[in-house]
Amino acid sequence: MLENILKSHPAVQNAAVIGIPDEEDGEHPLAFVVMKEGLEHKMSPKQLEFYVEEKVQDRQRLRGGVKIVDSIPLTNTGKIKRNILKNLYFNGEI
């Protein structure tokens, strides 16, 4: 659902959401977003967080934040490789 909301933004080409650990809540959603060509600098991560915030319940907000990336790893069938995203994030590569 969060990915679809992000993808509905006119500046967003693709999006993936993973959960990152949080001591109080268990997990917080963190979004990785690929911007459409030429629009990379038109939207900040905070603006995208607010865009989602207006459309979801409080518990679904992107409390883990938004990371703008060049690409999202996909399988041959187009599914998001979330385990690779998590590894990249936790290894500090994103």
Side-chain angles (χ1 to χ4, degrees):
M1 176 184 170
L2 292 172
E3 292 167 356
N4 290 336
I5 292 170
L6 285 162
K7 289 179 194 178
S8 73
H9 190 284
V12 173
Q13 178 180 325
N14 200 1
V17 177
I18 63 168
I20 58 169
D22 178 74
E23 289 183 19
E24 287 183 31
D25 300 326
E27 276 192 337
H28 282 175
L30 164 67
F32 297 93
V33 175
V34 178
M35 304 301 288
K36 290 183 180 172
E37 192 172 326
L39 301 176
E40 296 91 342
H41 304 289
K42 300 287 184 190
M43 295 294 297
S44 72
K46 279 288 180 206
Q47 288 173 308
L48 290 170
E49 283 181 49
F50 290 133
Y51 178 78
V52 171
E53 186 177 308
E54 295 173 343
K55 297 169 177 15
V56 298
Q57 297 176 4
D58 183 64
R59 63 181 176 83
Q60 295 173 307
R61 294 167 69 186
L62 293 170
R63 286 188 167 78
V66 173
K67 300 269 186 197
I68 296 177
V69 296
D70 293 330
S71 64
I72 293 173
L74 303 173
T75 66
N76 290 339
T77 59
K79 292 187 177 189
I80 298 165
K81 293 183 177 181
R82 292 179 204 287
N83 57 338
I84 291 177
L85 275 178
K86 282 186 177 190
N87 288 337
L88 290 171
Y89 175 76
F90 288 115
N91 290 334
E93 297 176 46
I94 294 182

